[in-house]
Amino acid sequence: MIALRNLLFKIVFYTISVPIVLATPISALFGRNAIIVNTHIWTAFHHWATRTFLGIHQNIEGTKFPGGPVIYAAKHQAMYETLELGRMLNTPAIVMKQELASIPVWGWAARIYGCIVVDREASAGALRRMVKEAKTALAEGRSILIFPEGTRVPPRRTPPAARRVRRPISDAQDSRRADRDRFRNSLASSRPEKGGHRDVPLR
């Protein structure tokens, strides 16, 4: 039964995905709004197909989504969460590897969509451009979706993340000096009085 459901999913999803994906560069010619609509169609279809044929349902715990733009750090295990998070998070600016952005046509379309390209071997100038793109996305009210581990990771494995990601954020400026100052201020304000103690709030 499971094998049959998997087969039906592959036939239906990939057959209909081909014309949608081929239409992506065409929609990109009409600007960001057009390619976002194209993306919504594909992710909505993917959501329907995974629920209908594979029986995949989501369970969201805690606060669903913050009001303003934030950084979402997600674990990357398969294609599923890439498409689903794009749908659920209302068109976030996705941080993707330079290797993907280098794919002819597709990489160009991804940039039109608003993806933020990160080169792990980048120079200081390339890193500044990446920060500029992140600031632009936040100014437009778009959240940022990043997969800190940098690649797909099998279930039940948690390798060290490539970068530490804090959330929520109000802008893209996050310097180590600011973190250090906040840490020092927290320590200064939480020194215990003689004979007592004081809890340090987590920020």
Side-chain angles (χ1 to χ4, degrees):
M1 184 62 181
I2 294 179
L4 177 60
R5 293 171 65 178
N6 288 339
L7 178 61
L8 288 173
F9 170 79
K10 291 177 181 178
I11 293 174
V12 174
F13 177 71
Y14 289 108
T15 299
I16 298 180
S17 290
V18 168
I20 297 176
V21 173
L22 290 178
T24 299
I26 299 175
S27 64
L29 293 173
F30 297 93
R32 178 167 296 173
N33 289 338
I35 196 171
I36 284 177
V37 170
N38 178 274
T39 303
H40 279 317
I41 292 173
W42 192 32
T43 55
F45 170 63
H46 173 263
H47 177 70
W48 173 83
T50 53
R51 287 176 64 94
T52 302
F53 297 106
L54 303 181
I56 297 177
H57 297 265
Q58 299 154 357
N59 181 33
I60 301 175
E61 298 180 354
T63 302
K64 190 173 183 180
F65 303 114
V70 298
I71 288 181
Y72 292 99
K75 190 172 182 65
H76 193 17
Q77 295 183 347
M79 176 181 173
Y80 177 82
E81 67 272 2
T82 306
L83 295 180
E84 275 300 293
L85 288 174
R87 180 190 66 84
M88 296 169 62
L89 304 181
N90 192 27
T91 322
I94 302 174
V95 179
M96 69 178 189
K97 297 182 291 187
Q98 176 64 48
E99 294 85 344
L100 297 177
S102 300
I103 298 175
V105 181
W106 191 91
W108 165 77
R111 289 180 181 273
I112 297 295
Y113 170 86
C115 288
I116 300 172
V117 179
V118 56
D119 185 353
R120 285 173 287 189
E121 304 298 329
S123 62
L127 291 175
R128 283 194 294 270
R129 286 194 297 273
M130 183 186 70
V131 172
K132 182 179 179 181
E133 292 176 3
K135 288 181 179 180
T136 299
L138 293 169
E140 294 174 351
R142 300 179 70 186
S143 292
I144 296 174
L145 173 60
I146 183 172
F147 299 94
E149 293 161 337
T151 188
R152 295 184 183 184
V153 180
R156 294 180 294 277
R157 286 186 57 187
T158 309
R163 292 289 186 271
R164 181 174 64 87
V165 179
R166 295 189 301 115
R167 59 178 178 85
I169 63 170
S170 58
D171 56 59
Q173 260 182 325
D174 180 22
S175 66
R176 291 186 178 179
R177 179 176 297 177
D179 280 345
R180 182 192 63 193
D181 291 343
R182 277 195 292 271
F183 180 69
R184 287 178 175 174
N185 291 338
S186 176
L187 288 179
S189 64
S190 60
R191 288 174 182 167
E193 299 176 357
K194 187 174 181 180
H197 72 277
R198 186 178 299 167
D199 294 329
V200 179
L202 296 178
R203 298 174 184 266

